[in-house]
Amino acid sequence: MATSLMFSSQDYGVTIFLYRTQFLVDVVQEKAGRVLVLDSIKQGNAWLGMDVLILNSWHWWTHTDGIQPWDYMREGNKLFKDMNRLVAFYKGLNTWARWINYNIDPSRTQVFFQGVSPVHYDGREWNEPLKSCKGQTKPFMGQRYPGGLPLGWVVVNKVLSRIKKPVRLLDLTTLSQYRKDAHPSLYNGITKGLDCSHWCLPGLPDTWNLLLYASLTS
């Protein structure tokens, strides 16, 4: 279910809306329970008329069991208990792409898509098989990240390559893969256990903001 926050700066004449929807497509309450609707994006009405749209997704598509905020997926009239998450992400992102094509006027609205944020739970990705982000104090220093790009990145780039309206990709995946040292690890202060998917603030997300600023002003 979506939530929103608003911040306004009268000095700069800017209003920022934070619209939190983990999947971009709709999550609705039905008789069966909470349903992730892969081909519906009615909540997109809240994004109409914005000067700049910055969107992202993927992180929550991989969540399972008690931490996934839905009980079923639906496409058309078919209800699914689950499906391959990459397939579901591809379907959902294509729904978003169609919404962009039908609803966005490029002369009025700039659209950015923030790329896939990587995780560092499996040290095999940077040639340290027995390690994770826990205890990491230095970035990966090689010329090429051994683990390659995540499959979510492949899906994002495939969908964006076919979209008709201009969408700028903020491709932060590779530079973030090098920062195995930038996660909260055991110290995120919210949940117990190892956190190798979120990022310490300030830190790496500041670089993401610099990339966004450069894109906005170029």
Side-chain angles (χ1 to χ4, degrees):
M1 305 299 178
T3 58
S4 61
L5 296 170
M6 182 181 73
F7 170 79
S8 294
S9 172
Q10 294 182 354
D11 291 340
Y12 292 95
V14 173
T15 299
I16 298 174
F17 292 90
L18 172 63
Y19 192 90
R20 186 175 186 269
T21 171
Q22 297 100 319
F23 305 98
L24 299 180
V25 293
D26 297 329
V27 178
V28 300
Q29 187 68 42
E30 299 183 357
K31 288 184 179 180
R34 301 165 301 172
V35 179
L36 175 60
V37 188
L38 299 175
D39 52 2
S40 173
I41 194 164
K42 294 177 182 178
Q43 63 184 338
N45 290 335
W47 312 335
L48 295 172
M50 299 294 176
D51 296 310
V52 179
L53 281 177
I54 306 165
L55 305 109
N56 79 299
S57 193
W58 174 241
H59 176 86
W60 276 86
W61 288 87
T62 62
H63 287 33
T64 59
D65 302 324
I67 57 175
Q68 72 180 32
W70 52 267
D71 305 304
Y72 296 91
M73 294 183 186
R74 179 159 59 80
E75 183 181 27
N77 295 321
K78 293 183 179 180
L79 200 65
F80 303 90
K81 185 61 180 174
D82 205 344
M83 70 170 65
N84 181 287
R85 298 305 176 86
L86 278 169
V87 172
F89 180 49
Y90 179 69
K91 291 175 180 290
L93 205 59
N94 270 304
T95 298
W96 167 80
R98 288 192 294 271
W99 185 92
I100 293 291
N101 286 335
Y102 291 137
N103 291 282
I104 292 300
D105 176 1
S107 67
R108 173 72 175 87
T109 303
Q110 293 185 70
V111 182
F112 295 86
F113 194 92
Q114 180 176 289
V116 169
S117 175
V119 299
H120 291 95
Y121 288 102
D122 186 354
R124 289 176 296 181
E125 293 187 355
W126 59 91
N127 295 330
E128 292 184 316
L130 302 180
K131 294 188 177 181
S132 65
C133 73
K134 180 182 177 182
Q136 299 288 341
T137 60
K138 295 181 180 179
F140 174 76
M141 302 302 291
Q143 291 187 348
R144 178 174 293 183
Y145 191 73
L149 289 161
L151 292 176
W153 181 93
V154 176
V155 171
V156 167
N157 280 267
K158 183 175 182 179
V159 171
L160 291 185
S161 70
R162 298 175 177 177
I163 203 167
K164 296 177 181 178
K165 296 292 178 69
V167 176
R168 294 189 187 183
L169 173 63
L170 300 173
D171 196 353
L172 51 82
T173 304
T174 300
L175 69 89
S176 303
Q177 283 182 313
Y178 279 66
R179 293 304 307 277
K180 59 185 173 64
D181 60 318
H183 297 283
S185 182
L186 297 173
Y187 309 103
N188 73 1
I190 300 174
T191 59
K192 295 181 180 180
L194 191 63
D195 184 352
C196 298
S197 63
H198 297 94
W199 305 94
C200 295
L201 298 173
L204 179 66
D206 294 332
T207 302
W208 301 353
N209 290 336
L210 289 172
L211 292 174
L212 172 62
Y213 179 76
S215 295
L216 285 169
T217 57
S218 63

